[in-house]
């Protein structure tokens, strides 16, 4: 996991429309960069839909949401159309961006080991520095507060932290 207040790694990757998106061109904006394992799977779909639902609020905070997985631009386009997503997805087919952001790890599932993406989110400030990190993200968590069961969305946790960071950054 990358450390806070360090420079975010550079990247240039194709998005769902095969347009190359480069880190250097995004400087000056807040970036919510989230890494996920695979398009059209339950947790990844929930995460993308939750970020899409909150997209207007992120835009009001002058932030853009970018999802990254090893899927191809074509798979990303299909995912966006199938789920009506309003966020940008980058294709990291060679996994170089996943490696640079330290999210490509050995994982275990049902006794089998394999390399894969550890669900991780970074907030990058307008100067290009890592301002917040979440590793092994749980997209939706159920909690009981005062006897009432509620669902806490990772997208809302990220938005709240972005609001706090923006206040400190501008203040």
């Amino acid at each position: 996991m990358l450390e806070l207040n360090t420079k975010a790694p550079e990247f240039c990757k194709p998005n769902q429309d095969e347009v190359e998106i480069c880190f250097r061109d995004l400087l000056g904006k807040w970036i919510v960069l989230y890494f996920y394992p695979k398009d059209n799977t339950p947790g990844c779909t929930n995460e993308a839909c939750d970020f899409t639902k909150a997209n207007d609020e992120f835009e009001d905070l002058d932030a853009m949401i970018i999802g990254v997985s090893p899927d191809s631009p074509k798979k990303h386009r299909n995912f966006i159309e199938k789920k009506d997503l309003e966020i940008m997805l980058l294709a990291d087919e060679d996994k170089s961006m996943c490696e640079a952001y330290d999210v490509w790890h050995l994982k275990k599932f049902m006794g089998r080991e394999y390399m894969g993406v550890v669900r991780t989110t970074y907030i990058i400030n307008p100067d290009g520095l890592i301002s917040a990190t979440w590793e092994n993200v749980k997209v939706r968590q159920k909690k009981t507060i005062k006897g009432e069961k509620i669902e806490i969305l990772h997208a809302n946790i990220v938005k709240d932290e972005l609001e706090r960071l923006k206040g400190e950054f501008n203040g």
Side-chain angles (χ1 to χ4, degrees):
M1 186 153 194
L2 302 180
E3 293 192 27
L4 293 177
N5 300 313
T6 60
K7 187 85 170 150
E10 298 278 334
F11 61 82
C12 283
K13 292 289 176 181
N15 71 4
Q16 67 276 358
D17 299 318
E18 298 194 32
V19 172
E20 187 174 74
I21 304 299
C22 294
F23 180 69
R24 67 178 175 268
D25 299 326
L26 304 175
L27 289 174
K29 285 194 82 128
W30 287 89
I31 303 167
V32 173
L33 188 66
Y34 80 94
F35 291 85
Y36 65 99
K38 190 174 174 66
D39 291 342
N40 287 305
T41 57
C44 300
T45 297
N46 285 340
E47 187 172 28
C49 289
D50 292 346
F51 274 122
T52 290
K53 285 177 194 159
N55 192 40
D56 288 344
E57 294 171 77
F58 280 97
E59 286 179 354
D60 289 346
L61 294 167
D62 195 33
M64 66 183 316
I65 300 165
I66 302 173
V68 182
S69 83
D71 291 307
S72 69
K74 184 178 179 180
K75 284 183 180 177
H76 283 337
R77 169 53 48 209
N78 171 273
F79 186 35
I80 285 171
E81 289 173 1
K82 186 175 178 182
K83 300 298 178 182
D84 293 321
L85 303 178
E86 297 174 4
I87 56 176
M88 183 185 309
L89 301 177
L90 297 184
D92 186 27
E93 293 179 280
D94 66 0
K95 297 148 192 95
S96 61
M97 190 172 171
C98 288
E99 289 172 354
Y101 279 82
D102 195 27
V103 302
W104 187 250
H105 291 261
L106 185 66
K107 296 171 79 174
K108 292 181 184 182
F109 182 69
M110 295 178 67
R112 191 175 71 91
E113 290 186 340
Y114 63 96
M115 293 300 290
V117 175
V118 174
R119 193 181 306 277
T120 304
T121 302
Y122 292 102
I123 295 178
I124 302 170
N125 75 22
D127 294 334
L129 301 178
I130 303 288
S131 293
T133 61
W134 291 267
E135 187 178 34
N136 293 313
V137 167
K138 303 289 183 245
V139 176
R140 296 179 175 172
Q141 299 176 48
K142 303 244 190 270
K143 292 203 175 184
T144 302
I145 300 176
K146 296 182 181 176
E148 184 180 342
K149 289 190 182 220
I150 62 167
E151 187 171 59
I152 299 172
L153 306 181
H154 174 64
N156 290 340
I157 293 168
V158 173
K159 183 176 55 71
D160 291 347
E161 181 64 7
L162 176 62
E163 287 174 341
R164 188 188 71 73
L165 288 168
K166 261 196 93 151
E168 285 181 6
F169 190 79
N170 296 330

